[in-house]
Amino acid sequence: MAELTIDDFETEVTAFLDANAERKGETKKKDFKWGEGTDDVSIFEEVDRELEKRQLDEAKEFKAKRYDAGLGWLTGPTQYGGRELPQVYDRLYSGIESKYRVPSQTFFGIGLGMVAPTILAHATDDVKADLLPKLYRGDLVGCQLFSEPGAGSDLASLQTKAMRDGDEWIITGQKVWTSGAHYSDVGEIICRSDPDLPKHKGLTGFVVDMKAPGVEVRPLRQMTGGASFNEVFFTEVRVPDSHRLGDVNQGWSVALTTLMNERASIGAGAGGGGLGLANVDRLGQMVRHFGLGDDAVTRQELARIYTQFQVAKYTNQRALDRIKAGQAPGPEMSIAKLSLTRNLKETTEFVAQVLGPRICANTGEWGTFSWGQLLLGIPGMRVAGGTDEVMKNIIGERVLGLPKEPGIDTTSPFKDLKVGTQSR
Ligand SMILES: Cc1cc2nc3c(=O)[nH]c(=O)nc-3n(C[C@H](O)[C@H](O)[C@H](O)COP(=O)(O)OP(=O)(O)OC[C@H]3O[C@@H](n4cnc5c(N)ncnc54)[C@H](O)[C@@H]3O)c2cc1C
């Protein structure tokens, strides 16, 4: 087969997008004007369920068209619906797509960013052949069922049980903070399969059907107002052994595959793009609007924030380039995640200084109270995907080579442990 040139690919993608999406106007970022358009800078979606359902349907429709046009999984193996193109084609596609208005694809972030790579690495051939095309076509949405009320940072202390019953497993327990569980079709779950083994050794991973009998999803309302997360209860849910990920009791390495991809996905936004957080125009125009354009301290602070986002962006780019060159995402992504949350926190502290009480008392003035959504969302960002403190531990131990935290019991049977110790 003749090699696909970059020009041919660009022509193909442009033809697809011309036929299926509207091209954006020529308005550029630098044209942003204080007081015009939306002032939304929230981190978490605050949509009601009906709107969310409509947005999901639109997202799925577009995703299916993209997949059917051969553009759904550019880098994946052809046997599972991919196209086996080098990573650069992914970037090319994203670059061209950014010039078009397409439905938000955030619904697929966890399924494709974390669950699908884990399925590819650890599932049976039949499950890969069944689920991967459906996930990349958007027919199925995936979620991550890891955290429990007593197991977050200390993930290896999880207690949801998986008991073998012939060709099936019976899962019973509770997960929490499951983003998107309410619209997901499949979930990657890590369960305790042998409490007689040390805590990292008696875990097993599965892909579970979120619509199976015994799965109950209950929304959790966050302080920003929306409900993006859920508690998920499992009562004797039956999962075929064919849907096991990796070997029995080897679930910790399955979880690590997902966690490394999670940090890579979160860290990929380290420049703060997408949400317009690093948008120096927005911050700069806000400063001028409130008469602080000539204030030396404010200017210095703004320049510092901008510089930090730029440094994070380039540091992160180096790490991503290594991943794209075929190396596994490593602890460097913890640095990217930590920089992102620190920079976001400093952005909101800066905005709060400029706005004063306007950030928490709604005067109806454009571009003021709306920043409160970002301010209230930051603590969630500092916790999701590994907390700031845990990131610092990882950097200390795996990047700087400092001694491990004392007290991590890797030898006693899990059932004999009284309290968990950090291990994520
Ligand atoms: C926005 C968001 C989305 C999420 N989505 C998902 C999801 O889709 N699926 C899922 O499974 N989970 C999800 N989570 C859960 C997330 O992974 C956990 O909240 C996180 O791992 C922290 O666990 P925890 O909440 O139990 O806090 P804990 O682990 O109890 O931590 C409490 C505090 O103690 C600190 N701490 C804990 N251990 C140490 C240590 N060893 N050294 C120093 N400090 C420590 C922490 O930094 C934190 O400040 C989400 C969370 C958020 C906020």
Side-chain angles (χ1 to χ4, degrees), residues 43-44 110 114 143-155 175-181 188 222 228-230 259 262-263 377-391 393 397 405 408 421-424:
I43 272 186
F44 298 113
I110 292 177
M114 288 143 63
C143 64
Q144 177 202 23
L145 297 152
F146 280 24
S147 304
E148 297 184 4
S153 304
D154 182 15
L155 180 62
K175 296 291 176 178
V176 73
W177 310 126
T178 320
S179 310
E188 177 195 342
Q222 63 243 25
S228 328
F229 318 105
N230 305 274
L259 293 176
E262 177 173 25
R263 272 157 216 162
I378 303 288
M381 283 295 286
R382 295 178 67 201
V383 169
T387 68
D388 282 4
E389 290 75 18
V390 168
M391 292 301 123
N393 284 347
E397 290 170 14
E405 280 204 332
I408 295 179
T421 47
Q422 180 271 323
S423 53
R424 196 168 212 190

Side-chain angles (χ1 to χ4, degrees), residues 217-294:
V217 177
R218 295 187 202 159
L220 287 169
R221 193 153 297 280
Q222 63 243 25
M223 67 175 161
T224 46
S228 328
F229 318 105
N230 305 274
E231 297 176 289
V232 185
F233 294 84
F234 291 84
T235 312
E236 299 191 351
V237 176
R238 290 192 166 262
V239 179
D241 185 52
S242 57
H243 283 58
R244 175 162 41 81
L245 292 168
D247 290 335
V248 175
N249 296 331
Q250 296 301 313
W252 187 244
S253 67
V254 174
L256 287 183
T257 304
T258 312
L259 293 176
M260 285 199 292
N261 281 294
E262 177 173 25
R263 272 157 216 162
S265 322
I266 295 175
L275 295 165
L277 304 174
N279 187 336
V280 121
D281 271 355
R282 186 181 290 263
L283 293 177
Q285 289 191 33
M286 177 181 72
V287 161
R288 276 188 218 105
H289 179 79
F290 289 106
L292 292 167
D294 293 325

Side-chain angles (χ1 to χ4, degrees), residues 93-260:
Y93 179 89
S94 305
I96 302 173
E97 194 192 76
S98 68
K99 297 185 187 127
Y100 291 79
R101 262 178 242 294
V102 301
S104 165
Q105 301 288 294
T106 51
F107 296 101
F108 307 114
I110 292 177
L112 298 186
M114 288 143 63
V115 179
T118 311
I119 290 177
L120 183 62
H122 297 285
T124 59
D125 286 344
D126 284 352
V127 168
K128 286 187 216 177
D130 178 31
L131 294 184
L132 290 173
K134 291 176 185 158
L135 284 163
Y136 279 94
R137 194 174 182 273
D139 298 336
L140 297 180
V141 175
C143 64
Q144 177 202 23
L145 297 152
F146 280 24
S147 304
E148 297 184 4
S153 304
D154 182 15
L155 180 62
S157 282
L158 61 84
Q159 300 195 42
T160 294
K161 269 189 277 173
M163 281 170 53
R164 185 96 192 220
D165 182 24
D167 283 346
E168 291 183 325
W169 291 80
I170 302 172
I171 295 181
T172 301
Q174 182 196 348
K175 296 291 176 178
V176 73
W177 310 126
T178 320
S179 310
H182 54 290
Y183 52 69
S184 290
D185 307 287
V186 290
E188 177 195 342
I189 189 167
I190 307 289
C191 303
R192 179 138 326 263
S193 39
D194 190 346
D196 290 326
L197 291 174
K199 66 180 190 177
H200 292 84
K201 303 242 164 88
L203 304 171
T204 303
F206 302 90
V207 189
V208 59
D209 175 359
M210 293 298 287
K211 315 285 184 218
V215 179
E216 188 196 344
V217 177
R218 295 187 202 159
L220 287 169
R221 193 153 297 280
Q222 63 243 25
M223 67 175 161
T224 46
S228 328
F229 318 105
N230 305 274
E231 297 176 289
V232 185
F233 294 84
F234 291 84
T235 312
E236 299 191 351
V237 176
R238 290 192 166 262
V239 179
D241 185 52
S242 57
H243 283 58
R244 175 162 41 81
L245 292 168
D247 290 335
V248 175
N249 296 331
Q250 296 301 313
W252 187 244
S253 67
V254 174
L256 287 183
T257 304
T258 312
L259 293 176
M260 285 199 292

Side-chain angles (χ1 to χ4, degrees), residues 5 34 67 76 178-179 239 243 246 270 280 298 300 305 307 309 356 369:
T5 66
W34 185 259
Y67 185 89
T178 320
S179 310
V239 179
H243 283 58
V280 121
T298 306
Q300 183 174 319
I305 288 170
T307 309
F309 270 118
F369 187 64

Side-chain angles (χ1 to χ4, degrees), residues 314-370:
Y314 291 123
T315 307
N316 191 44
Q317 190 59 52
R318 279 203 301 275
L320 287 177
D321 284 348
R322 277 200 295 275
I323 294 168
K324 286 186 173 147
Q327 296 168 21
E332 298 81 5
M333 297 318 292
S334 299
I335 298 174
K337 209 237 142 181
L338 197 56
S339 322
L340 175 65
T341 53
R342 187 200 58 188
N343 291 339
L344 290 174
K345 182 168 168 282
E346 292 188 6
T347 299
T348 50
E349 283 166 0
F350 173 75
V351 171
Q353 265 173 30
V354 173
L355 295 178
R358 296 180 195 90
I359 198 167
C360 57
N362 193 359
T363 60
E365 185 179 357
W366 193 98
T368 57
F369 187 64
S370 53

